[in-house]
């Protein structure tokens, strides 16, 4: 009579652990790719660390919504004291030219599939910012495109205050706070870039996120037509302050 082979305890433990890992990965994937909810918002930092690791997977590569546009992060800075910048050109403010940071990063990594991850920082920020901005209402998107300098709040109230809880619903506050975090990232990135290029005289920055539609494959032989560019704009903001250690690491 053939002897029945039983799985040993160590093997059983490994199978259970392996099953738990698979289940956790599937649950995390569903949460990461699913609709925005309060639960997802609370888990987002941990989900980002897991899914947006060294390879920074672009999930939009897959159906049903593959990439159909080129994305660019543009910025410019005011190089005068903030009081002068607030008065504009008439007050003698000096403004930099617009810089397309994404194009500069792409030029540095052209033809190198192993390029340093820093070569796509602006595209990563663009994608996450664009999503946060488009969760806002039309009126709120007009507010973020306006200038808010010298400590002015974008939405007229501090979002962690009791006043904000009276003015907005919990769902609206979730969207506004998610947007505020991404705006600070975008403004901070623009500030670091500006200080590295133009020095410590930078007092304000302005940002534009641009998307250029890509011609569909089926229309590739049609006469070339100028497709409209799509913008999401961050009006003038105070340049963020960074300590010397951060500035040295950036340079």
């Amino acid at each position: 009579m053939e002897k029945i082979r039983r799985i040993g305890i160590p093997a059983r433990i490994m199978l259970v652990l392996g099953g738990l890992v698979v289940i956790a990965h599937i649950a995390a994937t569903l949460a990461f790719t699913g609709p925005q909810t309060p639960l997802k918002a609370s888990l987002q930092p941990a989900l980002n660390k897991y899914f947006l690791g060294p390879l920074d997977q672009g999930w939009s590569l897959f159906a049903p919504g593959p990439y159909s546009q080129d994305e660019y992060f543009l910025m410019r800075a005011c190089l005068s004291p903030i009081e002068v910048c607030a008065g504009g050109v008439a007050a003698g403010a000096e403004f930099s030219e617009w810089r397309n940071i994404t194009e500069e990063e792409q030029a540095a990594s052209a033809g190198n599939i192993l390029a340093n991850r820093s070569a796509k920082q602006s595209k990563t920020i663009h994608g996450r910012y664009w999503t946060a901005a488009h969760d806002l209402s039309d009126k709120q998107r007009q507010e973020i495109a306006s200038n808010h300098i010298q400590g002015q709040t974008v939405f007229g109230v501090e979002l962690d205050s009791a006043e904000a809880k009276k003015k907005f619903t919990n769902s609206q506050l979730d969207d506004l706070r998610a947007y505020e975090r991404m705006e600070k990232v975008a403004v901070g990135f623009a500030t670091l870039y500006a200080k590295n290029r133009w020095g410590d005289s930078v007092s304000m920055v302005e940002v534009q996120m641009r998307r250029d539609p890509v011609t569909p494959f089926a229309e590739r032989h049609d006469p070339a037509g100028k497709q409209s560019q799509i913008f999401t704009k961050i009006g003038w903001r105070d340049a963020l302050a960074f300590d010397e250690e951060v500035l040295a690491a950036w340079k």
Side-chain angles (χ1 to χ4, degrees), residues 78 80-95 147 149-150 203-204 236:
C78 184
S80 304
I82 194 165
E83 297 81 8
V84 179
C85 290
V89 175
E94 179 186 358
F95 297 96
N147 303 329
I149 60 173
Q150 295 178 299
S203 61
M204 299 192 321
W236 286 105

Side-chain angles (χ1 to χ4, degrees), residues 124-191:
T124 300
I125 294 171
H126 181 296
R128 299 177 196 174
Y129 173 86
W130 192 278
T131 300
H134 280 259
D135 284 338
L136 304 180
S137 67
D138 290 341
K139 180 181 177 182
Q140 289 163 349
R141 283 196 288 273
Q142 291 175 359
E143 290 178 325
I144 66 179
S146 300
N147 303 329
H148 300 279
I149 60 173
Q150 295 178 299
Q152 295 175 346
T153 55
V154 176
F155 301 108
V157 63
E158 295 289 345
L159 297 181
D160 291 325
S161 67
E163 186 181 352
K165 292 180 181 178
K166 295 178 183 178
K167 185 175 181 180
F168 303 107
T169 66
N170 289 337
S171 177
Q172 289 172 331
L173 277 176
D174 286 339
D175 289 341
L176 292 174
R177 287 167 180 163
Y179 168 80
E180 186 178 62
R181 287 193 294 270
M182 283 312 306
E183 180 181 288
K184 186 168 287 189
V185 170
V187 171
F189 180 74
T191 298

